[in-house]
């Protein structure tokens, strides 16, 4: 678990602290990678600060046995920090670092990017859809080595508060069942 934490801290430092060279490095990439790279850098440099609050992991009863669900942690407490840019068209881009208690009561480290689009007026309750692309490190998967993940996002946003839900499907040989995970974001700026 100690090496897992060191890897996550190293990834966060590289991702968040070394952003100035990343701008120049984006120009050195292939054209198809230049645009996503610049979007990440722009989001980090120009985004507002957010507090992430982790809270609940529902282990779906149709993919888990009752005995296994009773063993798992549903209180996925944790937190993190993010930077978000809201676009004129209602889309939002977020870069984040999130750490929470996984299903086995161990830390799960997440560093990534999220994109969401929203419907409705910004000063009212809004529904949104999007995705997240991240690097995850958990003790029980790949011996703690970080691995990439792409997941859907469903959200509800009002003023400075956004509640997100994502669905983590069952992957044979990797996890035991599907999970509906809920977390929140509070805009600080």
């Amino acid at each position: 678990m100690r090496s897992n934490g060191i890897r996550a801290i190293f990834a966060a430092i590289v991702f968040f602290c070394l952003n100035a060279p990343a701008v120049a490095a984006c120009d050195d990439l292939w054209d198809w990678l230049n645009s996503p790279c610049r979007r990440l850098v722009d989001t980090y440099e120009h985004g507002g600060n957010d507090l992430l609050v982790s809270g609940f992991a529902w282990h779906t009863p149709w993919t888990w046995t009752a005995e296994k669900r009773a063993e798992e942690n549903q209180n996925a407490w944790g937190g993190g920090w993010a930077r978000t840019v809201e676009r004129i068209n209602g889309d939002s881009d977020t870069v984040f670092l999130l750490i929470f208690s996984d299903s086995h009561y161990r830390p799960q480290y997440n560093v990534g990017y999220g994109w969401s689009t929203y419907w409705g007026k910004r000063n009212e309750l809004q529904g949104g859809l999007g995705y997240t692309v991240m690097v995850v490190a958990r003790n029980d998967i790949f011996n703690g080595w970080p691995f990439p993940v792409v997941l859907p996002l469903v959200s509800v946003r009002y003023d400075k508060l956004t509640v997100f839900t994502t669905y983590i499907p069952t992957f044979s040989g990797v996890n035991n069942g599907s999970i509906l995970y809920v977390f929140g974001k509070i805009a600080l700026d």
Side-chain angles (χ1 to χ4, degrees):
M1 183 158 78
R2 184 175 170 185
S3 65
N4 211 12
I6 292 169
R7 284 185 213 124
I9 291 168
F10 177 75
I13 289 169
V14 169
F15 189 75
F16 288 113
C17 297
L18 301 177
N19 69 343
V23 175
C26 289
D27 292 336
D28 298 334
L29 297 173
W30 297 293
D31 288 340
W32 63 275
L33 281 178
N34 184 295
S35 180
C37 178
R38 297 209 54 83
R39 178 62 58 111
L40 287 173
V41 171
D42 178 59
T43 302
Y44 177 81
E45 288 182 343
H46 303 291
N49 291 304
D50 304 312
L51 175 66
L52 298 177
V53 181
S54 177
F56 188 69
W58 183 55
H59 298 77
T60 57
W62 56 89
T63 62
W64 295 78
T65 65
E67 296 79 22
K68 196 71 173 163
R69 286 183 73 212
E71 295 173 7
E72 304 300 336
N73 176 26
Q74 290 196 26
N75 298 316
W77 301 123
W81 176 74
R83 307 261 303 161
T84 300
V85 171
E86 289 190 27
R87 308 288 173 194
I88 294 170
N89 64 1
D91 296 352
S92 70
D93 297 288
T94 302
V95 291
F96 63 88
L97 169 66
L98 176 63
I99 303 169
F100 62 89
S101 178
D102 73 9
S103 298
H104 307 292
Y105 302 90
R106 294 189 180 134
Q108 175 172 320
Y109 305 93
N110 309 272
V111 175
Y113 166 81
W115 175 85
S116 293
T117 190
Y118 290 92
W119 294 274
K121 295 179 182 177
R122 181 62 179 100
N123 60 349
E124 296 176 359
L125 187 66
Q126 294 180 288
L129 292 174
Y131 65 89
T132 183
V133 178
M134 61 186 157
V135 176
V136 175
R138 294 175 52 121
N139 239 12
D140 61 331
I141 299 176
F142 304 127
N143 294 319
W145 284 100
F147 58 95
V149 175
V150 177
L151 295 172
L153 289 174
V154 176
S155 57
V156 175
R157 175 170 77 176
Y158 182 75
D159 197 27
K160 293 184 176 228
L161 176 66
T162 307
V163 176
F164 294 97
T165 300
T166 190
Y167 180 74
I168 303 163
T170 303
F171 290 104
S172 181
V174 176
N175 61 356
N176 293 312
S178 300
I179 297 170
L180 195 65
Y181 173 62
V182 180
F183 64 102
K185 180 175 77 171
I186 302 166
L188 300 176
D189 294 337

